[in-house]
mmCIF file of all heavy atoms in Angstrom:
data_model
loop_
_atom_site.group_PDB
_atom_site.id
_atom_site.type_symbol
_atom_site.label_atom_id
_atom_site.label_comp_id
_atom_site.label_asym_id
_atom_site.label_seq_id
_atom_site.Cartn_x
_atom_site.Cartn_y
_atom_site.Cartn_z
ATOM 1 N N GLY A 29 87.021 58.942 188.447
ATOM 2 C CA GLY A 29 85.664 58.804 187.935
ATOM 3 C C GLY A 29 85.278 57.348 187.777
ATOM 4 O O GLY A 29 86.107 56.452 187.737
ATOM 5 N N LYS A 30 84.012 57.180 187.717
ATOM 6 C CA LYS A 30 83.479 55.843 187.518
ATOM 7 C C LYS A 30 83.720 55.389 186.091
ATOM 8 O O LYS A 30 83.500 56.134 185.147
ATOM 9 C CB LYS A 30 81.977 55.874 187.777
ATOM 10 C CG LYS A 30 81.526 54.984 188.831
ATOM 11 C CD LYS A 30 80.013 55.097 188.923
ATOM 12 C CE LYS A 30 79.547 54.268 190.058
ATOM 13 N NZ LYS A 30 78.127 54.274 190.179
ATOM 14 N N LYS A 31 84.153 54.161 185.919
ATOM 15 C CA LYS A 31 84.332 53.613 184.568
ATOM 16 C C LYS A 31 83.007 53.163 184.022
ATOM 17 O O LYS A 31 82.188 52.579 184.724
ATOM 18 C CB LYS A 31 85.275 52.415 184.598
ATOM 19 C CG LYS A 31 86.712 52.785 184.626
ATOM 20 C CD LYS A 31 87.527 51.542 184.392
ATOM 21 C CE LYS A 31 88.964 51.936 184.211
ATOM 22 N NZ LYS A 31 89.798 50.785 183.951
ATOM 23 N N LYS A 32 82.814 53.501 182.739
ATOM 24 C CA LYS A 32 81.563 53.067 182.101
ATOM 25 C C LYS A 32 81.675 51.599 181.753
ATOM 26 O O LYS A 32 82.712 51.106 181.326
ATOM 27 C CB LYS A 32 81.310 53.879 180.832
ATOM 28 C CG LYS A 32 80.759 55.218 181.078
ATOM 29 C CD LYS A 32 80.308 55.807 179.768
ATOM 30 C CE LYS A 32 79.629 57.128 180.043
ATOM 31 N NZ LYS A 32 79.150 57.716 178.809
ATOM 32 N N LYS A 33 80.594 50.965 181.960
ATOM 33 C CA LYS A 33 80.489 49.552 181.611
ATOM 34 C C LYS A 33 80.433 49.423 180.081
ATOM 35 O O LYS A 33 79.674 50.146 179.437
ATOM 36 C CB LYS A 33 79.222 48.997 182.243
ATOM 37 C CG LYS A 33 79.157 47.521 182.327
ATOM 38 C CD LYS A 33 77.893 47.168 183.059
ATOM 39 C CE LYS A 33 77.805 45.693 183.267
ATOM 40 N NZ LYS A 33 76.569 45.313 183.943
ATOM 41 N N PRO A 34 81.242 48.547 179.503
ATOM 42 C CA PRO A 34 81.194 48.407 178.042
ATOM 43 C C PRO A 34 79.809 47.897 177.613
ATOM 44 O O PRO A 34 79.232 47.026 178.233
ATOM 45 C CB PRO A 34 82.255 47.387 177.717
ATOM 46 C CG PRO A 34 82.754 46.824 178.994
ATOM 47 C CD PRO A 34 82.192 47.642 180.128
ATOM 48 N N THR A 35 79.329 48.523 176.546
ATOM 49 C CA THR A 35 78.009 48.131 176.046
ATOM 50 C C THR A 35 78.167 47.018 175.020
ATOM 51 O O THR A 35 79.134 46.971 174.257
ATOM 52 C CB THR A 35 77.284 49.306 175.407
ATOM 53 O OG1 THR A 35 78.082 49.803 174.348
ATOM 54 C CG2 THR A 35 77.020 50.402 176.406
ATOM 55 N N LYS A 36 77.202 46.152 175.038
ATOM 56 C CA LYS A 36 77.206 45.068 174.047
ATOM 57 C C LYS A 36 76.689 45.620 172.726
ATOM 58 O O LYS A 36 75.790 46.468 172.718
ATOM 59 C CB LYS A 36 76.287 43.938 174.505
ATOM 60 C CG LYS A 36 76.806 43.196 175.706
ATOM 61 C CD LYS A 36 75.836 42.072 176.028
ATOM 62 C CE LYS A 36 76.328 41.363 177.282
ATOM 63 N NZ LYS A 36 75.393 40.318 177.681
ATOM 64 N N PRO A 37 77.247 45.142 171.617
ATOM 65 C CA PRO A 37 76.729 45.613 170.328
ATOM 66 C C PRO A 37 75.258 45.168 170.180
ATOM 67 O O PRO A 37 74.893 44.082 170.593
ATOM 68 C CB PRO A 37 77.627 44.914 169.304
ATOM 69 C CG PRO A 37 78.426 43.921 170.032
ATOM 70 C CD PRO A 37 78.329 44.211 171.488
ATOM 71 N N ARG A 38 74.462 46.057 169.617
ATOM 72 C CA ARG A 38 73.061 45.760 169.428
ATOM 73 C C ARG A 38 72.902 44.778 168.275
ATOM 74 O O ARG A 38 73.495 44.934 167.225
ATOM 75 C CB ARG A 38 72.293 47.021 169.115
ATOM 76 C CG ARG A 38 72.263 47.989 170.255
ATOM 77 C CD ARG A 38 71.599 49.241 169.832
ATOM 78 N NE ARG A 38 70.261 49.261 170.358
ATOM 79 C CZ ARG A 38 69.347 50.160 170.025
ATOM 80 N NH1 ARG A 38 69.627 51.085 169.154
ATOM 81 N NH2 ARG A 38 68.165 50.123 170.556
ATOM 82 N N ARG A 39 72.105 43.811 168.503
ATOM 83 C CA ARG A 39 71.812 42.856 167.423
ATOM 84 C C ARG A 39 70.554 43.308 166.707
ATOM 85 O O ARG A 39 69.612 43.778 167.347
ATOM 86 C CB ARG A 39 71.594 41.464 167.989
ATOM 87 C CG ARG A 39 72.866 40.895 168.532
ATOM 88 C CD ARG A 39 72.697 39.446 168.777
ATOM 89 N NE ARG A 39 74.003 38.925 169.152
ATOM 90 C CZ ARG A 39 74.226 37.677 169.412
ATOM 91 N NH1 ARG A 39 73.244 36.811 169.353
ATOM 92 N NH2 ARG A 39 75.433 37.267 169.737
ATOM 93 N N LYS A 40 70.570 43.149 165.440
ATOM 94 C CA LYS A 40 69.403 43.543 164.646
ATOM 95 C C LYS A 40 68.344 42.443 164.757
ATOM 96 O O LYS A 40 68.656 41.266 164.679
ATOM 97 C CB LYS A 40 69.791 43.734 163.202
ATOM 98 C CG LYS A 40 70.668 44.925 162.991
ATOM 99 C CD LYS A 40 70.985 45.106 161.543
ATOM 100 C CE LYS A 40 71.894 46.324 161.415
ATOM 101 N NZ LYS A 40 72.248 46.567 160.047
ATOM 102 N N THR A 41 67.145 42.891 164.923
ATOM 103 C CA THR A 41 66.054 41.919 164.940
ATOM 104 C C THR A 41 65.696 41.560 163.508
ATOM 105 O O THR A 41 66.079 42.258 162.553
ATOM 106 C CB THR A 41 64.813 42.507 165.653
ATOM 107 O OG1 THR A 41 64.322 43.600 164.882
ATOM 108 C CG2 THR A 41 65.128 42.927 167.063
ATOM 109 N N LYS A 42 64.981 40.499 163.375
ATOM 110 C CA LYS A 42 64.616 40.009 162.048
ATOM 111 C C LYS A 42 63.768 41.024 161.281
ATOM 112 O O LYS A 42 63.819 41.076 160.062
ATOM 113 C CB LYS A 42 63.876 38.687 162.194
ATOM 114 C CG LYS A 42 63.741 37.930 160.920
ATOM 115 C CD LYS A 42 63.138 36.576 161.191
ATOM 116 C CE LYS A 42 63.158 35.754 159.923
ATOM 117 N NZ LYS A 42 62.656 34.423 160.132
ATOM 118 N N ASP A 43 63.007 41.833 162.012
ATOM 119 C CA ASP A 43 62.087 42.777 161.359
ATOM 120 C C ASP A 43 62.734 44.111 161.017
ATOM 121 O O ASP A 43 62.108 44.917 160.363
ATOM 122 C CB ASP A 43 60.866 43.036 162.264
ATOM 123 C CG ASP A 43 60.057 41.770 162.452
ATOM 124 O OD1 ASP A 43 60.072 40.924 161.526
ATOM 125 O OD2 ASP A 43 59.464 41.607 163.527
ATOM 126 N N GLN A 44 63.949 44.360 161.471
ATOM 127 C CA GLN A 44 64.586 45.638 161.174
ATOM 128 C C GLN A 44 64.990 45.706 159.709
ATOM 129 O O GLN A 44 65.433 44.728 159.126
ATOM 130 C CB GLN A 44 65.837 45.868 162.037
ATOM 131 C CG GLN A 44 65.493 46.288 163.428
ATOM 132 C CD GLN A 44 66.751 46.534 164.239
ATOM 133 O OE1 GLN A 44 67.671 45.736 164.231
ATOM 134 N NE2 GLN A 44 66.784 47.647 164.925
ATOM 135 N N LEU A 45 64.824 46.883 159.121
ATOM 136 C CA LEU A 45 65.130 47.096 157.720
ATOM 137 C C LEU A 45 66.623 47.353 157.531
ATOM 138 O O LEU A 45 67.212 48.180 158.234
ATOM 139 C CB LEU A 45 64.344 48.286 157.182
ATOM 140 C CG LEU A 45 64.587 48.681 155.753
ATOM 141 C CD1 LEU A 45 64.089 47.561 154.828
ATOM 142 C CD2 LEU A 45 63.890 49.969 155.402
ATOM 143 N N VAL A 46 67.223 46.645 156.640
ATOM 144 C CA VAL A 46 68.620 46.879 156.279
ATOM 145 C C VAL A 46 68.624 47.606 154.957
ATOM 146 O O VAL A 46 67.986 47.162 153.999
ATOM 147 C CB VAL A 46 69.402 45.548 156.159
ATOM 148 C CG1 VAL A 46 70.804 45.771 155.696
ATOM 149 C CG2 VAL A 46 69.378 44.816 157.492
ATOM 150 N N THR A 47 69.299 48.719 154.891
ATOM 151 C CA THR A 47 69.327 49.502 153.657
ATOM 152 C C THR A 47 70.508 49.039 152.805
ATOM 153 O O THR A 47 71.644 48.998 153.266
ATOM 154 C CB THR A 47 69.471 51.004 153.957
ATOM 155 O OG1 THR A 47 68.360 51.394 154.744
ATOM 156 C CG2 THR A 47 69.497 51.801 152.665
ATOM 157 N N ALA A 48 70.212 48.671 151.571
ATOM 158 C CA ALA A 48 71.234 48.282 150.620
ATOM 159 C C ALA A 48 71.105 49.181 149.389
ATOM 160 O O ALA A 48 70.013 49.348 148.857
ATOM 161 C CB ALA A 48 71.073 46.825 150.235
ATOM 162 N N THR A 49 72.207 49.757 148.977
ATOM 163 C CA THR A 49 72.191 50.704 147.882
ATOM 164 C C THR A 49 73.007 50.144 146.705
ATOM 165 O O THR A 49 74.111 49.665 146.911
ATOM 166 C CB THR A 49 72.794 52.061 148.320
ATOM 167 O OG1 THR A 49 72.050 52.540 149.422
ATOM 168 C CG2 THR A 49 72.752 53.067 147.189
ATOM 169 N N ALA A 50 72.444 50.236 145.514
ATOM 170 C CA ALA A 50 73.148 49.844 144.303
ATOM 171 C C ALA A 50 73.532 51.111 143.537
ATOM 172 O O ALA A 50 72.700 52.004 143.374
ATOM 173 C CB ALA A 50 72.269 48.962 143.436
ATOM 174 N N VAL A 51 74.791 51.187 143.109
ATOM 175 C CA VAL A 51 75.258 52.299 142.307
ATOM 176 C C VAL A 51 75.688 51.730 140.956
ATOM 177 O O VAL A 51 76.635 50.942 140.890
ATOM 178 C CB VAL A 51 76.437 53.022 143.007
ATOM 179 C CG1 VAL A 51 76.909 54.186 142.133
ATOM 180 C CG2 VAL A 51 76.032 53.513 144.365
ATOM 181 N N LEU A 52 74.970 52.118 139.896
ATOM 182 C CA LEU A 52 75.234 51.611 138.563
ATOM 183 C C LEU A 52 75.660 52.768 137.666
ATOM 184 O O LEU A 52 74.897 53.700 137.475
ATOM 185 C CB LEU A 52 73.999 50.912 137.999
ATOM 186 C CG LEU A 52 73.422 49.788 138.858
ATOM 187 C CD1 LEU A 52 72.118 49.296 138.277
ATOM 188 C CD2 LEU A 52 74.412 48.674 138.984
ATOM 189 N N GLY A 53 76.833 52.681 137.108
ATOM 190 C CA GLY A 53 77.372 53.756 136.284
ATOM 191 C C GLY A 53 76.970 53.676 134.839
ATOM 192 O O GLY A 53 76.270 52.761 134.408
ATOM 193 N N GLY A 54 77.445 54.629 134.082
ATOM 194 C CA GLY A 54 77.158 54.701 132.660
ATOM 195 C C GLY A 54 78.125 53.841 131.882
ATOM 196 O O GLY A 54 79.056 53.274 132.408
ATOM 197 N N GLY A 55 77.854 53.715 130.613
ATOM 198 C CA GLY A 55 78.731 52.985 129.719
ATOM 199 C C GLY A 55 78.053 51.715 129.226
ATOM 200 O O GLY A 55 77.967 50.738 129.962
ATOM 201 N N ALA A 56 77.559 51.756 128.023
ATOM 202 C CA ALA A 56 76.839 50.601 127.444
ATOM 203 C C ALA A 56 77.683 49.316 127.435
ATOM 204 O O ALA A 56 77.124 48.248 127.664
ATOM 205 C CB ALA A 56 76.344 50.935 126.053
ATOM 206 N N PRO A 57 78.994 49.383 127.151
ATOM 207 C CA PRO A 57 79.761 48.128 127.163
ATOM 208 C C PRO A 57 79.767 47.437 128.521
ATOM 209 O O PRO A 57 80.010 46.236 128.601
ATOM 210 C CB PRO A 57 81.172 48.567 126.770
ATOM 211 C CG PRO A 57 80.974 49.819 125.991
ATOM 212 C CD PRO A 57 79.794 50.501 126.636
ATOM 213 N N LEU A 58 79.489 48.157 129.607
ATOM 214 C CA LEU A 58 79.482 47.567 130.929
ATOM 215 C C LEU A 58 78.127 46.993 131.318
ATOM 216 O O LEU A 58 78.017 46.314 132.327
ATOM 217 C CB LEU A 58 79.920 48.588 131.967
ATOM 218 C CG LEU A 58 81.325 49.147 131.802
ATOM 219 C CD1 LEU A 58 81.599 50.221 132.856
ATOM 220 C CD2 LEU A 58 82.358 48.036 131.895
ATOM 221 N N SER A 59 77.100 47.271 130.540
ATOM 222 C CA SER A 59 75.759 46.825 130.914
ATOM 223 C C SER A 59 75.616 45.304 131.041
ATOM 224 O O SER A 59 74.927 44.846 131.937
ATOM 225 C CB SER A 59 74.694 47.415 129.997
ATOM 226 O OG SER A 59 74.906 47.040 128.672
ATOM 227 N N PRO A 60 76.277 44.484 130.206
ATOM 228 C CA PRO A 60 76.173 43.033 130.441
ATOM 229 C C PRO A 60 76.758 42.617 131.796
ATOM 230 O O PRO A 60 76.228 41.747 132.454
ATOM 231 C CB PRO A 60 76.972 42.410 129.293
ATOM 232 C CG PRO A 60 76.931 43.426 128.216
ATOM 233 C CD PRO A 60 76.955 44.745 128.925
#
């Protein structure tokens, strides 16, 4: 069979949205 040509990793453009998630747990002593 024909070998597939390796694909280059896609670069993100400046306008693409990057999702960032913050997970903050309970516990008042940890709030500071």
Side-chain angles (χ1 to χ4, degrees):
K30 238 182 184 182
K31 279 191 171 180
K32 281 190 175 181
K33 196 175 184 182
T35 58
K36 291 182 182 176
R38 294 175 103 189
R39 291 193 174 182
K40 292 182 181 179
T41 65
K42 194 174 186 177
D43 297 330
Q44 282 182 313
L45 178 66
V46 176
T47 301
T49 302
V51 179
L52 304 174
L58 299 177
S59 60

